[in-house]
Amino acid sequence: MNIYTHPKTAAQEAKTAQKLRERADGDGSVQVHLDPTMEIDGAKVFAIYGKGGIGKSTTSSNLSVAFSKIGKRVLQIGCDPKHDSTFTLTKSLIPTVIDILEQVDFHTEELRPEDYMVEGFNGVQCIEAGGPPAGTGCGGYVVGQTVKLLKEHHLLDDTDVVIFDVLGDVVCGGFASPLQHAERAVVVAANDFDSIFAMNRIVAAIKAKAKNYEVRLGGVIANRSRETDQIDRYNDSVGLKRLAHVPDSDHVRLSRLKKSTLFEMGDSPEIAAIQNEYLQLAEQLWAGTEALQAEPMKDREIFEFLGFE
């Protein structure tokens, strides 16, 4: 059995094919689509993107705690085969959905929610979707199976906020798949060339998905940066907005080493300021952010645009 295929009846295939024709990403698109019948209803859904190593998991986990601190029921879904999105919340590397499914030969009816979902700090529910072995399969399938399990077990009925923490700056159809569920996509970027260059490509991918899905750009979280001048300059040029600024702080590095969120690192003025930045961001996202209509630059254009005279 090929574990990365999902057999359907002829009627289901026809229904899905019709929906895909109605929701194509445009001429020349090579996006990989999930089953369009597997949609998340009720909860506010956010997808966090950014250059690899920019701090998306740190951002996602602290934002999840911030949402929980303002009284929301939160589910964080890690979408990286390394399955390390939630370890500061759970203090461990929890099993992935794919690992658990393989153990039961993909008979989802044999699974219970506690088999693949772990409660983390301050009640944040944590799932690691995982991914196929290197060089095989598609990450989009993994995200689809995760959402399917959540719906089968009615776990989304008691959830206010879902946060997808998405692998690196990959913009292929597979890892763009959380955009098919998200209300807002948020990009994490540092104030440097590589981060902003990657952000520009992510903006292009989100723009493609926004043609036929409800996802819209919510804005940018400036991370690991003392200044934000290059980010702000890029935002002004393409139509983006900075939502928050988390400075380059050694407390963030130490929190990862201690396998803790920043909300467990004490209340010194510097830590409290960062905690407050996340709390304000959570309040802002919950209240609803403007749907930004950003126009990404061409690669050569942004290469010339960034930097100093």
Side-chain angles (χ1 to χ4, degrees):
M1 174 181 175
N2 182 353
I3 63 173
Y4 298 110
T5 60
H6 179 51
K8 300 179 182 179
T9 66
Q12 288 174 322
E13 290 283 5
K15 182 179 179 181
T16 298
Q18 177 61 30
K19 287 198 173 188
L20 294 182
R21 284 193 293 271
E22 294 170 356
R23 302 174 77 172
D25 282 339
D27 293 340
S29 171
V30 292
Q31 296 279 7
V32 176
H33 293 267
L34 300 181
D35 183 344
T37 63
M38 285 289 118
E39 297 178 342
I40 298 176
D41 301 312
K44 286 181 178 288
V45 184
F46 304 98
I48 310 296
Y49 282 83
K51 176 182 174 294
I54 198 57
K56 291 178 302 301
S57 294
T58 301
T59 299
S60 298
S61 297
N62 285 293
L63 181 57
S64 289
V65 175
F67 272 119
S68 73
K69 291 283 188 180
I70 64 172
K72 307 306 175 187
R73 300 167 298 179
V74 187
L75 170 63
Q76 181 170 320
I77 302 174
C79 302
D80 189 325
K82 297 195 307 294
H83 62 98
D84 60 352
S85 170
T86 60
F87 82 82
T88 59
L89 291 162
T90 64
K91 321 307 179 198
S92 65
L93 290 178
I94 64 176
T96 70
V97 168
I98 284 297
D99 290 339
I100 297 298
L101 284 171
E102 285 181 326
Q103 290 174 13
V104 296
D105 198 25
F106 285 72
H107 293 292
T108 58
E109 68 279 2
E110 297 182 17
L111 294 181
R112 301 165 300 170
E114 55 266 33
D115 291 330
Y116 57 87
M117 187 168 70
V118 176
E119 183 173 319
F121 177 70
N122 210 48
V124 175
Q125 299 297 327
C126 302
I127 292 177
E128 293 287 351
T136 66
C138 175
Y141 171 84
V142 179
V143 173
Q145 287 297 300
T146 300
V147 173
K148 178 184 175 184
L149 272 176
L150 293 171
K151 292 180 77 72
E152 285 181 354
H153 290 144
H154 305 286
L155 297 177
L156 297 170
D157 298 345
D158 297 319
T159 302
D160 299 313
V161 175
V162 177
I163 293 179
F164 284 100
D165 173 16
V166 189
L167 169 72
D169 54 355
V170 178
V171 291
C172 71
F175 280 99
S177 56
L179 297 175
Q180 296 179 213
H181 301 293
E183 173 185 336
R184 290 287 184 269
V186 178
V187 185
V188 181
N191 197 50
D192 60 44
F193 179 91
D194 293 320
S195 295
I196 300 172
F197 193 90
M199 173 164 61
N200 188 66
R201 301 199 71 221
I202 293 165
V203 169
I206 294 167
K207 180 183 177 183
K209 280 297 182 188
K211 293 177 183 177
N212 296 293
Y213 293 89
E214 295 182 1
V215 66
R216 297 294 182 269
L217 276 161
V220 182
I221 299 171
N223 192 47
R224 294 183 177 174
S225 302
R226 183 177 62 183
E227 306 294 339
T228 64
D229 57 317
Q230 294 296 311
I231 292 174
D232 295 338
R233 182 167 166 260
Y234 171 79
N235 288 350
D236 290 343
S237 180
V238 303
L240 278 177
K241 178 181 179 182
R242 175 160 51 85
L243 297 174
H245 176 203
V246 179
D248 189 11
S249 169
D250 200 46
H251 292 294
V252 177
R253 180 185 65 85
L254 290 174
S255 73
R256 299 287 287 180
L257 290 172
K258 292 185 176 182
K259 303 178 179 64
S260 299
T261 67
L262 283 160
F263 289 87
E264 303 164 81
M265 292 290 291
D267 56 0
S268 70
E270 184 178 347
I271 294 174
I274 299 174
Q275 293 171 350
N276 190 55
E277 190 75 3
Y278 277 112
L279 289 167
Q280 290 181 359
L281 176 60
E283 294 275 14
Q284 186 178 3
L285 290 172
W286 180 258
T289 59
E290 177 187 359
L292 302 175
Q293 302 293 329
E295 289 295 329
M297 299 180 185
K298 298 293 186 182
D299 284 352
R300 292 184 182 277
E301 182 184 0
I302 192 170
F303 181 85
E304 296 296 334
F305 177 84
L306 292 172
F308 301 102
E309 295 294 336

